[in-house]
Amino acid sequence: MKTLTTALLSFAICGAVCGSNCEAGEVEVLHFWTSPGEAKSLVELKALLAARRHVWKDFAVVGGGGQNAMTALRQRLLAGNPPASATIKGPAIQEMAALNVFADLDVMARFDHWDEGIPKVVQQQVKYKGHYVAVPVNIHRVNWLWSNSEVLTKSGVVSVPTSFDAFMVAADKIKAAGFVPLAHGGQPWQDFVLFESVVLGVGGADFFKRAFVDLDPYALSSPEMKKVLETFRRLKPYTDDKSRGRDWNVATDMVIKGKAAFQFMGDWAKGEFLVAGQRPGHEFNCTPSPGSASAFSYVVDTFTMFQLKGWEAQKAQGYLAYVLLGDEFQEKFSQRKGSIPVRMNVSVEKFDDCGQSSRRDFISSEKSNELVPSVAVDMAVATWTQAALRAVVSDFWNIEALSVNEAMNKLVLAAASPRPK
Ligand code: GAL
């Protein structure tokens, strides 16, 4: 692995003593943050780089969840022309690191004390063979339920449901009042996000780990899984008939505009509510998805840094790596993105209630062993296994003729699917 020693240290000295007089470089970043909330969260980063006269070259690939971006990245890698950085996460980092394409960030990590503020579970994801190869930037929680306060009131729903049975009762009332109970974006990754919340709410964190981290075939075909699948299927009639293919932020917009009551989505959805000028606890609510209050399925957005030729390019890349974990950026970025800082020593005092409870729940779920990597959003299993599981979940959601037992058999097979050649 190539170490960016000189370049990375020089950026630091540069930052400390020569300010804006330093020579600048271009930094091309591949990402998929194109929804209004996501795009806003990047404004700060672009400005920080511009302040050092580094040039941000946007390589934005549309498509929530990032699958399209991953495809684009693989093409660039095959062509031997990687960008300076790309937002990928979870096991994909390890898979790509094995190709020896990343820069070794250890010098930067030591200089900036990354080991001290970054949780151990996150460190494991961003280190390859003990070396830092990526910069984690935040912690998202997936198991959230977003709701529109006015729609709930108008439907006679007095509190946000905390179990799936209560959810169905509330959803019936909402439907009767003429609203869409569940705003859903029917894309496979979003079907999987919804499913993940059902797994946690019905099966619990321990079951989640057995089934979707350990890939235990007994858990994948257990009575708990049967109940999870049945509950998941019961949610379908509460979605509208235009949900198929819908982008996640379009579904969020249905809740924002008061067309729908609920959305199950990671807390990047909060960015959309905020951009629309709405406030948590007022126009909208953030609550853990039913039955999952003590659990936390996490996603860590991560900027991987590729090996680059050229001094200026490396310097700009080094500066990017540095600012991503700076206190100021950590705070501002997550406030806009809906996440919490990945550096636990960055305060969340100025965060809204959703952010503050997310930090509290992250800490308490780790203590109670209910902190789980999101399987729906790329954190838990190998990319090919995840794709196979996602396809089963999505088929089960879309094809009524697929029985619960068949789905369980398919999950077991998917979990054992071999690495493609
Ligand atoms: C996730 C990502 C988030 C988010 C979301 C929707 O994969 O971790 O940062 O923005 O996709 O695009």
Side-chain angles (χ1 to χ4, degrees), residues 32-35 38 63-67 89 138 140 189 248 265 268-269 299-302 333 337 376-379:
F32 51 92
W33 290 335
T34 54
S35 78
E38 289 174 327
Q67 273 170 53
K89 51 185 169 303
N138 63 359
H140 273 302
W189 76 273
W248 67 273
M265 188 44 64
W268 43 90
V299 172
V300 178
D301 287 321
T302 301
F333 175 73
K337 189 77 173 53
V377 193
D378 316 339
M379 299 296 293

Side-chain angles (χ1 to χ4, degrees), residues 168-238:
M168 310 296 172
V169 174
D172 282 331
K173 289 188 185 172
I174 294 159
K175 206 171 182 175
F179 300 101
V180 177
L182 181 53
H184 183 61
Q187 296 170 345
W189 76 273
Q190 295 184 70
D191 300 338
F192 210 3
V193 163
L194 175 58
F195 181 75
E196 177 161 309
S197 277
V198 181
V199 175
L200 280 172
V202 174
D206 184 55
F207 170 71
F208 181 100
K209 283 192 243 179
R210 278 186 287 125
F212 292 109
V213 180
D214 304 340
L215 300 172
D216 173 357
Y218 297 103
L220 289 166
S221 53
S222 60
E224 287 106 310
M225 185 57 84
K226 184 168 183 278
K227 193 155 180 236
V228 165
L229 286 163
E230 285 166 356
T231 309
F232 183 52
R233 189 156 263 174
R234 280 172 67 202
L235 294 170
K236 186 83 189 279
Y238 299 118

Side-chain angles (χ1 to χ4, degrees), residues 293-350:
S294 53
F296 191 118
S297 60
Y298 67 89
V299 172
V300 178
D301 287 321
T302 301
F303 285 67
T304 47
M305 301 292 165
F306 291 89
Q307 292 171 18
L308 296 178
K309 295 188 193 90
W311 170 244
E312 300 308 335
Q314 289 183 21
K315 211 159 58 177
Q317 184 190 47
Y319 189 65
L320 173 68
Y322 177 66
V323 290
L324 287 170
L325 279 165
D327 288 4
E328 191 193 340
F329 180 70
Q330 280 283 302
E331 182 182 270
K332 288 202 176 131
F333 175 73
S334 269
Q335 277 179 314
R336 289 178 178 172
K337 189 77 173 53
S339 45
I340 51 173
V342 72
R343 278 205 138 155
M344 300 306 276
N345 44 3
V346 172
S347 163
V348 291
E349 218 170 67
K350 294 193 198 131

Side-chain angles (χ1 to χ4, degrees), residues 71-144:
T71 309
L73 177 59
R74 287 206 183 93
Q75 280 160 1
R76 284 284 297 263
L77 282 176
L78 280 175
N81 179 27
S85 179
T87 57
I88 65 173
K89 51 185 169 303
I93 297 173
Q94 307 295 317
E95 292 167 23
M96 235 170 238
L99 306 175
N100 190 24
V101 287
F102 292 143
D104 180 337
L105 304 172
D106 277 355
V107 174
M108 165 76 76
R110 268 197 303 279
F111 171 82
D112 200 25
H113 309 291
W114 291 1
D115 275 348
E116 284 163 34
I118 299 174
K120 285 264 166 351
V121 282
V122 177
Q123 288 184 30
Q124 284 158 14
Q125 303 260 356
V126 296
K127 284 181 183 176
Y128 178 69
K129 297 191 173 161
H131 301 281
Y132 276 102
V133 292
V135 190
V137 71
N138 63 359
I139 299 173
H140 273 302
R141 185 184 196 176
V142 175
N143 57 314
W144 283 111

